[in-house]
Amino acid sequence: MTSPGAALRKFVDRLAPLLPADFGEPVRAMDLRHPQSLAAALPVCRFWPAVAAGGGALLAPLAELSPHLAWVQNPNYVAAPPSPDFLDNYGYAVLAGPGGLVASDILALGVLLLGPGTHYPTHRHPATEIYVVAAGEAEWRKGEALWRRERPGSLIRHETMVPHATRALDDPLLAVYLWRGDLKTHARITAH
């Protein structure tokens, strides 16, 4: 079994070349030597085994990290779910950053998992965000723009406070996320 530190390093080494320099350099510079195991699951984790088994450059090291991931939900959404089934089909695991396997106050790195057909409604946050689609196709929207279908390998960027939304399609969506800037303020759902 691969150590969590080795799996996390392998994941970061595969992710960093996919990122623009303003995210790639801080990711490469993170100290990943002593991750803590935080294991916790949510209902959305029922999709994780199939997604993690999908293979690929990013999925293989994430699968190795599976026993150490703590799946959580935004407390704003827990307090006021946007739809009756949203919390059963949404969760994220923090790899680095506040509450992550490794600490970082420069950026947050993690994975978002949405069940098939799940609509993650329009929300915004002060952090600049990048997503790299790791598995599943989804539709993404920024502001009032039209929905865009994005496939695995796609990079999606949201600047600070830009409203955006996501809709998973027929399969679960796994997207790697990175936040820079304000890492402590959780996203809030908004009308736009």
Side-chain angles (χ1 to χ4, degrees):
M1 181 177 189
T2 306
S3 75
L8 193 53
R9 173 51 59 196
K10 188 186 312 180
F11 173 72
V12 165
D13 288 347
R14 292 177 181 182
L15 175 67
L18 304 174
L19 304 174
D22 62 330
F23 279 84
E25 291 306 316
V27 164
R28 284 183 186 93
M30 287 191 307
D31 182 356
L32 304 174
R33 292 176 295 176
H34 305 291
Q36 55 181 326
S37 183
L38 302 169
L42 293 170
V44 71
C45 292
R46 68 191 182 278
F47 301 113
W48 179 251
V51 169
L58 296 177
L59 293 176
L62 284 174
E64 294 174 23
L65 284 169
S66 292
H68 309 285
L69 298 179
W71 292 92
V72 296
Q73 296 174 324
N74 179 327
N76 295 327
Y77 306 163
V78 172
S83 65
D85 63 344
F86 183 75
L87 295 179
D88 287 340
N89 291 288
Y90 151 84
Y92 63 95
V94 183
L95 304 176
L101 294 173
V102 295
S104 174
D105 57 1
I106 296 170
L107 73 105
L109 164 65
V111 290
L112 167 72
L113 182 59
L114 295 178
T118 300
H119 179 210
Y120 188 168
T122 303
H123 58 284
R124 64 175 76 191
H125 40 76
T128 300
E129 173 182 65
I130 287 186
Y131 279 109
V132 177
V133 179
E137 291 187 15
E139 294 178 326
W140 301 75
R141 182 177 179 185
K142 291 182 201 177
E144 298 295 325
L146 297 175
W147 289 93
R148 291 180 47 128
R149 185 178 215 155
E150 301 288 357
R151 293 176 168 77
S154 298
L155 187 128
I156 299 111
R157 184 179 185 120
H158 302 124
E159 298 300 335
T160 182
M161 299 308 286
V162 170
H164 53 281
T166 307
R167 294 189 297 216
L169 298 177
D170 295 333
D171 296 315
L173 170 69
L174 182 71
V176 177
Y177 71 84
L178 294 105
W179 275 24
R180 290 203 63 193
D182 181 347
L183 305 181
K184 295 181 180 177
T185 302
H186 290 282
R188 291 198 176 274
I189 294 175
T190 179
H192 291 295

